[in-house]
């Protein structure tokens, strides 16, 4: 028998994008063709029938795909469309069905917006919309055995600051997707390459990073 299977772009599940999130298999540097294909697949997605867990799942994937406006718009939709009870517990659909998925996932979305990491790589503000002009987060662990003690930004001043400790000796490649104007580490200007700069850490070394944007 021949199966007649059709795409369902409004389904709440996005398991075909597992390699993007929670997997670490797709990035613009390592797999550009798959990265663009994943962006196309996400862009075709609807509202997941309005389920909060579908919407937050899409936002997590969008953060990994560096799509700041997509993440911002999904969060704005959830906050504006009655997905939160007056108790601050969250709903599945924008009605009265209780579900913790949205509330439990929001902190992870914020983390993914502000920081991405994999061994040897730390990316600052991969998916923070310019609609969120300023902010700060403290104490994020990375996947390359370093702690981001603090990162803050002010977009209208074109400024990103970070304090980072590496727990072993290593070279970390830092990524900032917006156009870099200057990079300072411990108040000393260093060279960079468009969106990238490197720093060779000694064990347990802490550095202060200041990035100015064009």
């Amino acid at each position: 028998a021949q199966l007649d299977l059709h795409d369902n772009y409004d389904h709440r599940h996005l398991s075909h994008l597992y390699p993007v999130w929670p997997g670490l298999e797709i990035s613009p540097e390592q797999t550009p063709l798959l990265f663009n294909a994943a962006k196309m697949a996400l862009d075709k997605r609807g509202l997941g029938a309005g389920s909060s867990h579908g919407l937050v799942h899409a936002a997590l994937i969008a953060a990994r795909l560096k799509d700041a406006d997509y993440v911002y718009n999904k969060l704005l939709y959830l906050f504006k469309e009655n997905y939160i009870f007056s108790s601050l517990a969250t709903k599945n659909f924008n009605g009265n069905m209780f579900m913790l998925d949205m509330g439990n996932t929001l902190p992870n979305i914020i983390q993914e917006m502000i920081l991405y990491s994999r061994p040897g790589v730390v990316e600052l503000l991969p998916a923070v919309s310019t609609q969120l002009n300023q902010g700060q987060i403290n104490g994020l662990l990375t996947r390359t055995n370093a702690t981001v003690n603090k990162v803050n930004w002010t977009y209208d001043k074109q400024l990103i600051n970070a304090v980072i400790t590496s727990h072993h000796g290593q070279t970390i490649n830092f990524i900032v997707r917006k156009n870099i104007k200057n990079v300072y580490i411990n108040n000393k200007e260093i060279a960079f390459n468009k969106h990238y700069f490197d720093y060779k850490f000694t064990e347990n070394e802490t550095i202060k990073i200041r990035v100015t944007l064009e």
Side-chain angles (χ1 to χ4, degrees):
Q2 183 176 357
L3 296 176
D4 188 12
L5 301 176
H6 299 281
D7 289 321
N8 180 0
Y9 291 121
D10 202 38
H11 199 280
R12 64 193 180 279
H13 293 156
L14 296 100
S15 54
H16 57 306
L17 293 176
Y18 182 95
V20 180
W21 186 94
L24 295 165
E25 300 173 35
I26 292 177
S27 74
E29 287 77 27
Q30 296 174 310
T31 54
L33 290 178
L34 287 174
F35 183 86
N36 291 332
K39 282 183 68 71
M40 182 182 295
L42 186 63
D43 287 342
K44 288 184 175 183
R45 213 64 174 177
L47 291 174
S51 66
S52 62
H53 60 290
L55 292 164
V56 294
H57 191 181
L60 284 168
I61 291 168
R64 288 281 178 89
L65 294 174
K66 327 302 178 187
D67 195 334
D69 289 336
Y70 189 107
V71 179
Y72 177 81
N73 288 331
K74 283 290 182 287
L75 292 178
L76 189 64
Y77 181 86
L78 287 165
F79 287 125
K80 289 178 66 176
E81 297 297 326
N82 193 32
Y83 279 86
I84 304 176
F85 291 105
S86 59
S87 65
L88 300 183
T90 54
K91 307 175 184 181
N92 185 14
F93 299 91
N94 56 349
N96 292 311
M97 185 184 296
F98 174 76
M99 180 176 275
L100 292 174
D101 292 40
M102 175 185 165
N104 290 340
T105 307
L106 286 173
N108 190 214
I109 294 173
I110 300 301
Q111 292 176 46
E112 292 278 358
M113 290 165 56
I114 295 171
L115 185 77
Y116 168 78
S117 64
R118 62 178 186 269
V121 174
V122 171
E123 183 170 348
L124 301 174
L125 310 189
V128 177
S129 169
T130 54
Q131 298 288 331
L132 301 172
N133 178 56
Q134 63 181 352
Q136 177 172 310
I137 195 167
N138 299 337
L140 294 179
L141 300 178
T142 71
R143 299 179 184 88
T144 189
N145 199 19
T147 298
V148 178
N149 306 295
K150 178 176 72 175
V151 57
N152 60 51
W153 70 95
T154 308
Y155 278 143
D156 61 6
K157 294 183 179 179
Q158 302 288 74
L159 185 62
I160 303 170
N161 291 297
V163 179
I164 298 175
T165 301
S166 176
H167 303 296
H168 69 268
Q170 62 176 319
T171 297
I172 294 180
N173 176 233
F174 291 93
I175 303 174
V176 177
R177 299 286 168 188
K178 297 185 180 300
N179 291 331
I180 296 174
K181 183 178 181 181
N182 303 101
V183 178
Y184 301 88
I185 293 183
N186 296 334
N187 297 317
K188 180 181 179 180
E189 190 168 8
I190 68 164
F192 64 92
N193 181 12
K194 193 174 182 181
H195 302 294
Y196 311 91
F197 59 95
D198 295 329
Y199 185 79
K200 186 175 182 179
F201 286 85
T202 58
E203 186 175 1
N204 294 322
E205 182 180 10
T206 298
I207 64 169
K208 295 181 179 179
I209 299 173
R210 179 182 178 93
V211 178
T212 60
L213 306 172
E214 291 185 350

